[in-house]
Amino acid sequence: MAETFEALCQDVRRLLGQKEYVQAVALTSKLSIRYPNSAEAHFLVARALVESGDMQNALVPAERAAAIEANNFQYVFYCGYLYLHFRLYELALPFLKKSVQLQPNAPVSQVELADCYYEIGKGDIALQHYRAALKLETESYAKNSIRLKLALCLIASRQKSEARPIIMRLLKEAKEYSYPALSLLAQIENATPDNTVGELISKAIADPTIEATQREVLLLSFGKLQENAKNYDGAFASWQESRDSVKSRDYNLRNHAEVLLENKQFYSPELFKSSKEFAIQTEVPVFIAGMPRSGTTLTEQILSAHSKANGVGELARWTQLDRALRQDYQMPNYISKFLENAKNGELKARGLELLKIFALVAPEQKPRTVEKTPHNFLTLGYLHLICPRAKFIHIRRHPADTFISTFQNHFNDAHGYAYDQVEYAKEYLFHEDMMNLWKSLFPENIITINYESLASQPEPVVRKMLAFLGLDWEDQTLRFFESSKTVRTFSMHQVRNPVNTASLDRWRNYERHLGSLLSTLKAANFDYIIPET
């Protein structure tokens, strides 16, 4: 094998083209060691790692390449692309913006920048870049991929009428995207199984060539059409068939007892008390926690309608940061080492990083910024540690209602509990246990709101939340649905209407099918109680 720089680079590209990833990674390692100041060498390391499936380790060499040649489009774009993959939006955005500046006619950078803006809830800017990419792209398959993203962004931005012709075009002209387009069409139309949309979905589900993942999504959509027709048995059967298909593959389940114990052992009263003075003393952050589909999006939309509050959606960053922190201090007498580092600024730096992320995503600086990742219930200890004056809102909803709403939606494999009634009940009970732990450690920072009370008595409940956050009452908080903000979650359609009771006790329509869920909750002596407002 040749040994010159150019020849080594050529060999790497050849190996990648042949999908000989192990050999390519080994050769790029040799290349970067021999030529440590070469941006191309580091870029090839990153590329080989990504193509071999090791994106985690690709980030550092990608950063080195972009640092060495800061005006090279390829290196700048690749770094931004990787940051976006890891949801490091505050780092991805400047790189992707710069890549567009360096090559404004490159559709790939326009798309990635649009994706970044979409992920942080800035749909109006995302739409501009999706449209720019669509004009620049010449390859038909790529154009249709952009059209699908554009349609989804339009729907999330309350522009269903603009999305519909794009969806219809995909159905007509783009066979490879017809099934995802069909699923989007089912979202925006109040269809039933016996109309045109229903017939198209039914035909697609029966197609023997359809991919399993596409069929799973369409089964969920068909179940929703059955529900629209009040055929609740048929709806549940469709959802069950979809979930059973997912369960045939590997999916993730949490070791609840282990996670709870780890948090109890690490987040002790002593740790909070001794470290508090070294953390940032800000009241800006407000975190909403609860099971998915419990009302977290609705709560964020209400609060962010206040003149002194921002909503930043789901940043989903804290679980990784929490896990990394606890791994750093897996030692006897860890508190002394933690305090030493806290005195040297580690704790404050983590809090400032949080505020930096908020400042990037929020439209403007306000006294309160509301983040609503449901599984924040896993990380309240971490968040309280770095921001001891932050406030937390725990949203509770009847477990059968949250189950049905989760069961019918396309949650990824990280939410494996959502595919099975017994596993869901265990996750719900675990969420209650985690919240009880945090409430025992810093109760003054947490308020509990039941979704049922919020839906049936919105004004007194919202007044209670605002008072907890130190904010005055504003009528506009109950007119949150007038906002033009982008909503990316499964709740995007529900939060476009005033607070209402339409979804309360929805689970009763499916009670005959929920025996496993209800019996698991009963065996744990769990009783869902709604306190007086």
Side-chain angles (χ1 to χ4, degrees):
M1 196 171 278
E3 292 294 325
T4 67
F5 177 77
E6 292 77 12
L8 285 171
C9 291
Q10 186 175 352
D11 284 336
V12 170
R13 295 190 188 96
R14 176 180 56 78
L15 289 169
L16 290 174
Q18 295 171 347
K19 299 184 180 181
E20 300 287 346
Y21 298 127
V22 174
Q23 295 93 321
V25 170
L27 187 56
T28 57
S29 177
K30 178 180 179 180
L31 188 66
S32 63
I33 292 171
R34 184 173 295 183
Y35 301 98
N37 297 318
S38 167
E40 179 71 2
H42 292 297
F43 170 73
L44 286 174
V45 174
R47 181 183 160 192
L49 287 168
V50 167
E51 293 189 26
S52 69
D54 187 4
M55 295 189 77
Q56 185 74 44
N57 288 314
L59 196 49
V60 170
E63 289 171 330
R64 288 175 181 162
I68 293 170
E69 291 189 28
N71 289 314
N72 181 293
F73 165 78
Q74 189 176 35
Y75 306 155
V76 170
F77 167 76
Y78 211 68
C79 199
Y81 158 76
L82 286 174
Y83 281 138
L84 181 58
H85 172 80
F86 291 109
R87 307 179 80 166
L88 300 170
Y89 307 124
E90 75 281 8
L91 300 177
L93 192 58
F95 277 89
L96 293 174
K97 287 170 71 175
K98 187 173 183 178
S99 73
V100 169
Q101 292 168 358
L102 289 169
Q103 286 197 20
N105 293 328
V108 65
S109 57
Q110 294 280 359
V111 170
E112 291 296 319
L113 182 56
D115 286 349
C116 190
Y117 277 121
Y118 176 73
E119 288 296 322
I120 63 177
K122 296 186 177 181
D124 54 337
I125 306 177
L127 289 171
Q128 297 172 25
H129 291 285
Y130 283 134
R131 287 174 172 135
L134 196 56
K135 289 180 181 179
L136 294 167
E137 184 57 68
T138 57
E139 200 274 318
S140 60
Y141 184 88
K143 285 180 81 75
N144 287 328
S145 173
I146 297 167
R147 288 188 179 105
L148 188 68
K149 290 185 174 189
L150 177 60
L152 183 59
C153 189
L154 285 165
I155 293 170
S157 302
R158 304 181 71 178
Q159 300 180 53
K160 293 181 184 179
S161 58
E162 288 84 352
R164 195 178 191 285
I166 299 172
I167 294 171
M168 299 308 294
R169 180 172 182 173
L170 288 170
L171 287 172
K172 183 179 179 181
E173 301 177 6
K175 187 177 187 304
E176 68 276 17
Y177 287 106
S178 60
Y179 294 147
L182 193 54
S183 181
L184 285 184
L185 187 62
Q187 283 187 36
I188 64 175
E189 294 196 356
N190 189 29
T192 56
D194 55 358
N195 68 9
T196 302
V197 176
E199 290 172 357
L200 287 172
I201 293 178
S202 183
K203 182 179 178 181
I205 290 170
D207 182 354
T209 67
I210 190 173
E211 292 182 9
T213 53
Q214 292 177 333
R215 186 171 185 273
E216 288 156 12
V217 173
L218 288 176
L219 279 166
L220 297 178
S221 298
F222 194 70
K224 188 67 176 73
L225 304 192
Q226 298 272 27
E227 185 180 59
N228 291 344
K230 300 188 185 307
N231 179 5
Y232 301 115
D233 291 342
F236 196 87
S238 291
W239 298 332
Q240 186 70 64
E241 185 177 355
S242 174
R243 304 298 79 184
D244 285 344
S245 176
V246 177
K247 286 164 61 178
S248 67
R249 306 191 302 268
D250 290 335
Y251 58 96
N252 298 322
L253 292 175
R254 209 184 315 275
N255 186 325
H256 298 129
E258 182 179 289
V259 175
L260 183 60
L261 179 60
E262 288 173 352
N263 278 274
K264 283 182 177 179
Q265 291 175 336
F266 186 84
Y267 290 112
S268 65
E270 180 188 356
L271 180 66
F272 290 126
K273 183 178 180 180
S274 58
S275 65
K276 184 176 181 179
E277 63 179 298
F278 305 112
I280 58 171
Q281 303 302 313
T282 176
E283 294 184 345
V284 170
V286 178
F287 296 95
I288 299 172
M291 290 295 287
R293 311 296 294 151
S294 63
T296 55
T297 299
L298 173 63
T299 305
E300 183 230 16
Q301 293 288 299
I302 290 171
L303 294 176
S304 63
H306 196 282
S307 64
K308 294 185 177 180
N310 282 311
V312 292
E314 299 179 15
L315 300 181
R317 297 283 296 280
W318 325 122
T319 303
Q320 293 172 321
L321 295 173
D322 166 52
R323 187 183 301 117
L325 175 74
R326 288 187 283 117
Q327 287 176 346
D328 285 345
Y329 293 97
Q330 288 185 345
M331 62 190 76
N333 303 317
Y334 70 95
I335 292 180
S336 60
K337 183 63 176 178
F338 181 86
L339 290 178
E340 179 185 340
N341 290 339
K343 290 175 184 177
N344 291 327
E346 179 187 356
L347 204 53
K348 188 167 290 186
R350 288 177 178 272
L352 291 173
E353 179 187 24
L354 183 149
L355 293 180
K356 180 181 177 182
I357 297 167
F358 280 2
L360 168 79
V361 180
E364 59 183 303
Q365 290 192 343
K366 293 184 178 182
R368 299 287 181 274
T369 298
V370 185
E371 199 274 354
K372 54 137 298 215
T373 304
H375 274 74
N376 280 339
F377 66 77
L378 287 167
T379 58
L380 260 63
Y382 173 81
L383 296 168
H384 181 65
L385 194 67
I386 66 172
C387 292
R389 297 179 67 183
K391 295 295 180 70
F392 305 101
I393 300 174
H394 177 208
I395 304 297
R396 299 178 77 238
R397 187 181 181 187
H398 194 291
D401 266 336
T402 54
F403 169 74
I404 283 295
S405 194
T406 306
F407 197 59
Q408 73 170 89
N409 281 302
H410 183 49
F411 282 85
N412 62 40
D413 289 357
H415 299 272
Y417 61 88
Y419 309 150
D420 180 88
Q421 294 189 42
V422 172
E423 293 301 334
Y424 185 88
K426 292 177 181 178
E427 181 79 5
Y428 189 97
L429 294 169
F430 165 70
H431 130 269
E432 290 277 312
D433 289 339
M434 288 296 295
M435 286 307 306
N436 288 336
L437 171 62
W438 308 132
K439 290 171 187 177
S440 72
L441 291 168
F442 39 95
E444 67 282 357
N445 293 70
I446 304 173
I447 188 174
T448 300
I449 300 296
N450 286 77
Y451 173 81
E452 292 81 2
S453 299
L454 176 61
S456 58
Q457 304 175 65
E459 184 171 330
V461 174
V462 174
R463 284 184 180 275
K464 182 179 178 181
M465 285 194 290
L466 293 177
F468 173 68
L469 300 179
L471 299 176
D472 294 331
W473 169 258
E474 291 182 356
D475 291 342
Q476 65 202 35
T477 55
L478 293 183
R479 298 197 304 275
F480 63 91
F481 52 90
E482 297 173 356
S483 166
S484 60
K485 288 182 290 189
T486 304
V487 178
R488 300 180 294 107
T489 70
F490 295 118
S491 304
M492 68 173 70
H493 304 298
Q494 292 93 320
V495 298
R496 299 311 187 192
N497 299 298
V499 179
N500 60 77
T501 60
S503 61
L504 295 187
D505 286 336
R506 178 168 163 250
W507 68 276
R508 296 289 184 186
N509 296 321
Y510 304 95
E511 187 170 5
R512 61 188 292 180
H513 302 287
L514 300 180
S516 297
L517 173 78
L518 298 175
S519 62
T520 303
L521 294 170
K522 184 177 180 180
N525 295 315
F526 178 80
D527 189 16
Y528 183 75
I529 298 173
I530 304 173
E532 297 275 337
T533 302

